[in-house]
Amino acid sequence: MAALAAVGTLASLTACGGGSSSSSGSSSGGSAGTYAFWDPYPQFNASSAWGRLVTSCGTKAGVKLERTAYDTTDLGNKALLAAQQGNAPDVMLVDNPVVSTLVEAGILNKTSDLGLDTTSIQKNVIGAGTIDGAPYGVPIGANTLALYYNKKVLSAAGVDPASVKDWNSLTAALKKVKGAGKKGITFSAINTEEGSFQFLPWFWGAGGDLTKLDSAKGAAALSLWKQWVDAGYAPKDVLQNTQTTSWQEFATGDYAFGENGTWQLGNAEKAGFGYGIINIPAQNGGSAPVPTGGEFVTVPVQKDTGRYDVSKKIVTCLTSDANLLPTDTTLQYIAPTAAVQAEQVKQNPKLKPWVAAVAAARGRTSGGLGTKYPTISQPMWTAVQAALSGSKSPQDALATAQQSAQKG
């Protein structure tokens, strides 16, 4: 796929992190003493802990690091165009599913070619940015999904959260909650990547394969969600829910469960009710595989290869253990290395289930999918919409999705 054609694939690849406004800064590779850095964190200005870290890493590398913050999708699109025009930034932080698209467009350097050491990174986390066995960036952290639960709602319904071990026990819990006059579970099934991101734990938890959307295993996962909506265990507005609006529903205190991510931990503390977290159960027990979210620090290809030595220093600084701990605390991410994860849990024991969830996580583009993922994800979220709205059965909706994915 050519670089220009690849621009369109990036619009669907945002499920977490990032913001919606940009800050000022350089828009291309800088002069010898100035290096350009792009990230998807416009919510953090220059005076924030993140902004100060970026500046200090430039200083330590002996250069001025000019930072530009874009919305996640906008950043990916601008990266492709900038590379075509020969003015890509020196260092760039991108959402992990975008890495494979940028690699296919010939934009990113392998970490091995730059002499960057990634041996301490958790294999499944770096797998989201690995193509044909080679990593093309260093993850700054990971986020993923789990089930938040409201202790008061479950207690009133006579449900022990420890009893939720598989789909049957979860559905039984939802039935009890509804019987007690409360609401069951909320999630995002919107027709964007957020919908696919939230459906994947159930799809994978049934043993589903993204290259075979119409398998009986995939249909079982979609049938589960439809069962919940039809029975009133989940609201019909999951079809429009983003992960943010889904969280807002859970935060009302009326719901027993909310599927959401690490990035809501701060909001959970402010919710005003006791909460807990359990891993999303697989169909027949155990933790379901969950999708890996988070960003990779990458080094785009430059005409002047002499700039790479400084870029390497900047990447090394941003991803050092000493800096990952405060950065991932700020971002509410789980660190990509065991050593920093241990420090995170030591500082905040509530992160322990999230560390376990990240350990079980999969990259959406892993397993050789790469740039094929967007052509699978969009038909998948369309199938979820069709089934939950009642316009098609789960099996028929996924059969249509598979046909569309194969054409893509």
Side-chain angles (χ1 to χ4, degrees):
M1 182 185 298
L4 273 176
V7 172
T9 71
L10 292 171
S12 64
L13 288 175
T14 53
C16 46
S20 59
S21 61
S22 61
S23 64
S24 61
S26 173
S27 60
S28 63
S31 62
T34 303
Y35 275 58
F37 174 73
W38 291 1
D39 70 42
Y41 305 144
Q43 68 269 38
F44 299 124
N45 62 25
S47 64
S48 67
W50 171 250
R52 295 196 305 272
L53 173 62
V54 171
T55 299
S56 70
C57 283
T59 301
K60 289 174 183 176
V63 297
K64 178 182 179 182
L65 195 54
E66 290 193 350
R67 172 184 173 237
T68 306
Y70 293 105
D71 170 80
T72 301
T73 300
D74 198 26
L75 187 152
N77 291 335
K78 281 184 166 58
L80 286 164
L81 293 173
Q84 282 187 313
Q85 296 161 1
N87 60 358
D90 294 284
V91 181
M92 182 167 58
L93 194 61
V94 296
D95 196 20
N96 72 62
V98 177
V99 172
S100 60
T101 299
L102 298 181
V103 169
E104 187 170 271
I107 291 173
L108 300 181
N109 283 289
K110 295 179 182 178
T111 56
S112 59
D113 290 345
L114 297 165
L116 288 163
D117 182 10
T118 58
T119 54
S120 65
I121 306 294
Q122 205 163 288
K123 284 185 168 49
N124 65 320
V125 175
I126 200 165
T130 299
I131 294 88
D132 294 331
Y136 282 82
V138 183
I140 203 154
N143 55 46
T144 195
L145 297 167
L147 292 180
Y148 288 84
Y149 64 84
N150 184 315
K151 292 182 178 180
K152 185 177 179 180
V153 171
L154 289 187
S155 178
V159 174
D160 179 356
S163 70
V164 177
K165 298 182 179 300
D166 53 23
W167 290 2
N168 286 340
S169 55
L170 176 55
T171 301
L174 297 177
K175 184 177 181 179
K176 284 185 178 181
V177 168
K178 186 183 179 187
K182 289 291 186 178
K183 298 176 181 178
I185 187 168
T186 180
F187 50 87
S188 171
I190 195 170
N191 57 340
T192 69
E193 177 60 20
E194 290 189 59
S196 290
F197 191 71
Q198 292 237 322
F199 181 60
L200 278 172
W202 312 96
F203 182 85
W204 283 335
D209 180 340
L210 286 173
T211 65
K212 301 171 184 175
L213 293 176
D214 57 350
S215 72
K217 293 175 180 178
L222 190 47
S223 295
L224 178 72
W225 270 19
K226 180 168 174 55
Q227 174 192 352
W228 289 347
V229 172
D230 289 351
Y233 301 158
K236 294 187 184 300
D237 66 11
V238 296
L239 285 162
Q240 291 83 42
N241 267 348
T242 64
Q243 293 181 112
T244 298
T245 57
S246 172
W247 176 262
Q248 290 166 349
E249 284 184 332
F250 178 73
T252 63
D254 292 332
Y255 284 84
F257 296 96
E259 180 183 354
N260 230 296
T262 46
W263 57 91
Q264 298 292 5
L265 275 173
N267 290 327
E269 294 293 333
K270 301 172 187 174
F273 54 81
Y275 76 94
I277 297 163
I278 59 173
N279 295 137
I280 295 172
Q283 182 176 18
N284 298 315
S287 296
V290 283
T292 310
E295 291 81 34
F296 276 63
V297 190
T298 65
V299 176
V301 172
Q302 301 289 337
K303 290 179 181 176
D304 179 4
T305 58
R307 300 180 70 84
Y308 293 152
D309 284 344
V310 170
S311 295
K312 175 187 173 182
K313 291 178 183 177
I314 294 167
V315 174
T316 300
C317 176
L318 290 170
T319 59
S320 69
D321 282 2
N323 288 330
L324 281 176
L325 182 58
T327 294
D328 287 328
T329 300
T330 296
L331 295 174
Q332 295 178 337
Y333 284 7
I334 298 302
T337 69
V340 182
Q341 288 175 0
E343 284 300 312
Q344 286 185 292
V345 173
K346 185 177 178 181
Q347 290 186 8
N348 183 3
K350 289 182 179 179
L351 290 176
K352 190 173 182 179
W354 290 107
V355 170
V358 166
R362 294 180 187 173
R364 285 163 277 173
T365 57
S366 296
L369 285 182
T371 54
K372 295 176 185 175
Y373 175 73
T375 68
I376 295 168
S377 178
Q378 185 164 353
M380 182 167 63
W381 80 56
T382 302
V384 170
Q385 289 265 310
L388 298 192
S389 67
S391 64
K392 289 184 178 179
S393 69
Q395 188 62 60
D396 287 346
L398 287 169
T400 300
Q402 180 63 19
Q403 291 171 0
S404 178
Q406 286 175 333
K407 290 177 184 176

